[in-house]
Amino acid sequence: MKHPTMKSDRMRHVIRYLTGLVTALVGLSDMLSAIVPRFSWSFFLGAWPILNHRVPAQTFTVVVGFFLMVLSYGLARGKKHAWNITLILLILSILLHIRRSGSVLATIIALVMAIALCSLAGFFRAKSDPPSARRGYVALCLGLGIVVFYAIGGFIALYDDFAPWIDRIGIHGVILHIFAHGNLRIPRGTEAFFFQHALPVLCISGILYGMVQIFRPVAAVLIPDTTTRDKVNEIVQLYGTNSISYFALSEEKSYYFSESGKSVISYVLRGSTAVVAGDPIGPEAELPLMIKQFVKFCHEQDWSIVFWQIRDKTASLYRAAGFRLLKIGEDAIIDAQNFTLKGGAMANVRSSAKRAEKDGLQVIFYRGHVTDHEQLKQMEQISQYWLAEKGGSEMGFSLGHFDAQGDPQQIYSLAVDAQNKVHAFVSFIPVYGRQGWGLDLMRRAEQCAPGTMELLLARTIEQLKSNGSKMISLGVAPLSNANQEDDTFLGTSIDFLTDRFGNPSKNQSLFNFKKKFQPTWESRYLVYSDALSLPKIGWALYNAHQTDASLLHTLLKTVAEWLQTRNADEKNRVNVPEAAKV
């Protein structure tokens, strides 16, 4: 059984699309009624008995029909500006049909359409990008103003060329004739000939540019001020239970607050898609209403919505709101107070950590900033090597990046030998709402002692345990499905959102590594509204995480990686011994 919210969303889309389609057909009929004058529409449909100024009215009917077809796209997207302009043009279409002895049926259709638009006003509230809309209306006004002054100046400067026509039909008749026919039989090559053809082109260009700008979706958001960020910080520290809630405080985020001001949603706008980092942050009782309020807000902005890394405990709230869920992996959660290296289950981690310690490694902890400059320099080199191996740049949105300046809220753990060489390092971000920490960066040098990462994580978890932490998140293992919740599991096609276009072997290796620490697996989901929008939101997610996510750069990189993999496979096939082929 479909949820009422989903039904209402589909009804809204159906009404918008049907309205846009009917408006386009009305515009097309207006154009055809003048373009096919030989067919006697009045014989079948009847005509208004008014015959004055038929040619100008006929021309303007074509213009109105053309713009009705253009406006149909804005109506299909629920644009308020498109609704306003369409209503005006439908009324104008009715008057033009009557004035040019047009079809009675065509007039009635336009009238019915105008009445229907008025009754469906509630479905057309999507906003346009404010700066673009302002530019659009300014372009319309300036365009028409420039045309007027251009026309007046042109007629004054070229009065001798237009004088016979002005004396015959007046200046108003000359202007109408230029727009209706575009030719006053002025000799070619003269300034007057150029003027009469440039005038309608200028007018139509100004109108088209204005309408394109008016219908653009909201493409920018306000930059939060210091007061807003302080308020978000307070909410995150009280209610941030998702392992990526901390990233709500990053610089690129924008915020939507609940009506009570107690809850907040952090998001970034990529194109016309609002990409939300984790769950809404706030009191649990407010979350259902908060989701509905945000959905309404995004619909008014003409935005699509996608939530990234939703916790399994809140999944039912999104289903109740009519969203669809795709499982993207599982978060490895450790009960810090019960963590121990004793027992057979932890034998692998225990032996690996001891091996690293025998090689002279020890773990050093820093809160906020690494004070040893030599160690900090090595961390930068390790990060550069890691990025070069990964083939990209630092990521963002729901992932941290290495910053030599440090972060006062984060913890850094370094595996260092007796010569002060840094073999690997990790960073942890606070998970305030669960009195815990979440693993963020995990990077190692090109040459490091065996068991380094096991030692680093084991000692860090023990350190956090001694400080009273209740839970530790080792982060999401992409594509893992330990809980066997495969009813919404997407598979390998979603992995590119977090690490280029995916590497199943690396994902399995990461899952197996985290599994050594005997965590509890919590499912994480991608939440979206419509399957048809998956390509769009997929690109928005990738763009949100990557700092170099231009389309050309991504395509070139993907082709290069594919060619590299293909060449490696061919080389491996060539080097297979003959005995192995048998």
Side-chain angles (χ1 to χ4, degrees), residues 273-274 276 294-295 298-299 303-307 323 527-529 537:
T273 301
V276 182
F294 183 69
V295 169
C298 289
H299 285 164
W303 293 344
S304 300
I305 314 171
V306 56
F307 293 84
F323 283 97
V527 176
Y528 66 101
S529 58
I537 65 176

Side-chain angles (χ1 to χ4, degrees), residues 190-233:
T190 62
E191 294 181 357
F193 180 84
F194 172 79
F195 172 80
Q196 71 169 353
H197 286 85
L199 186 60
V201 172
L202 280 175
C203 185
I204 294 175
S205 298
I207 293 174
L208 284 176
Y209 174 79
M211 294 184 75
V212 168
Q213 292 296 318
I214 289 171
F215 297 149
R216 289 186 63 185
V218 177
V221 290
L222 295 176
I223 300 175
D225 54 22
T226 303
T227 303
T228 301
R229 292 194 179 278
D230 290 342
K231 183 178 180 181
V232 174
N233 187 31

Side-chain angles (χ1 to χ4, degrees), residues 182-438:
N183 188 358
L184 288 176
R185 297 179 184 176
I186 302 295
R188 290 180 178 272
T190 62
E191 294 181 357
F193 180 84
F194 172 79
F195 172 80
Q196 71 169 353
H197 286 85
L199 186 60
V201 172
L202 280 175
C203 185
I204 294 175
S205 298
I207 293 174
L208 284 176
Y209 174 79
M211 294 184 75
V212 168
Q213 292 296 318
I214 289 171
F215 297 149
R216 289 186 63 185
V218 177
V221 290
L222 295 176
I223 300 175
D225 54 22
T226 303
T227 303
T228 301
R229 292 194 179 278
D230 290 342
K231 183 178 180 181
V232 174
N233 187 31
E234 293 177 3
I235 296 175
V236 170
Q237 294 197 28
L238 284 173
Y239 304 107
T241 56
N242 196 305
S243 56
I244 63 171
S245 293
Y246 181 75
F247 293 114
L249 305 174
S250 55
E251 294 181 355
E252 79 276 9
K253 297 297 193 304
S254 299
Y255 305 111
Y256 176 82
F257 291 92
S258 63
E259 294 178 357
S260 68
K262 297 180 181 179
S263 302
V264 66
I265 287 178
S266 68
Y267 67 95
V268 296
L269 184 63
R270 292 294 180 264
S272 60
T273 301
V275 187
V276 182
D279 302 282
I281 307 171
E284 289 187 10
E286 275 198 3
L287 297 188
L289 181 60
M290 177 64 164
I291 294 173
K292 292 181 180 179
Q293 291 174 357
F294 183 69
V295 169
K296 180 181 178 182
F297 167 75
C298 289
H299 285 164
E300 290 177 350
Q301 313 307 311
D302 194 22
W303 293 344
S304 300
I305 314 171
V306 56
F307 293 84
W308 176 247
Q309 283 200 35
I310 296 305
R311 293 182 63 196
D312 49 2
K313 287 189 176 181
T314 60
S316 59
L317 301 180
Y318 298 94
R319 291 192 178 98
F323 283 97
R324 301 184 181 188
L325 279 71
L326 290 175
K327 186 174 179 181
I328 58 174
E330 292 171 323
D331 198 350
I333 304 297
I334 294 176
D335 183 351
Q337 292 303 307
N338 293 320
F339 178 80
T340 178
L341 290 178
K342 297 178 180 180
M346 297 296 293
N348 190 306
V349 175
R350 186 170 60 248
S351 61
S352 297
K354 287 182 178 180
R355 181 178 179 181
E357 287 179 328
K358 287 182 180 179
D359 289 335
L361 266 63
Q362 62 175 331
V363 179
I364 301 176
F365 304 100
Y366 292 96
R367 179 66 182 264
H369 180 67
V370 178
T371 56
D372 188 305
H373 295 291
E374 179 60 30
Q375 293 174 357
L376 185 61
K377 183 179 179 180
Q378 293 182 60
M379 291 171 67
E380 289 181 307
Q381 293 173 347
I382 291 173
S383 286
Q384 291 172 1
Y385 165 75
W386 183 85
L387 290 173
E389 284 293 303
K390 180 177 177 292
S393 61
E394 292 279 14
M395 299 177 72
F397 184 66
S398 64
L399 298 167
H401 62 276
F402 178 75
D403 185 358
Q405 301 300 319
D407 185 328
Q409 300 300 318
Q410 295 188 20
I411 290 176
Y412 300 91
S413 304
L414 285 65
V416 183
D417 63 17
Q419 287 74 41
N420 201 32
K421 176 185 176 181
V422 178
H423 287 240
F425 71 91
V426 296
S427 67
F428 281 80
I429 58 174
V431 185
Y432 297 109
R434 301 179 71 178
Q435 300 180 39
W437 295 85

Side-chain angles (χ1 to χ4, degrees), residues 27 30 43 75 160 172 188 280 291 351 371 407 414 452 463 527 530:
D30 282 351
F43 179 80
L75 288 174
D160 291 340
H172 296 289
R188 290 180 178 272
I291 294 173
S351 61
T371 56
D407 185 328
L414 285 65
T452 298
Q463 176 71 15
V527 176
D530 186 4

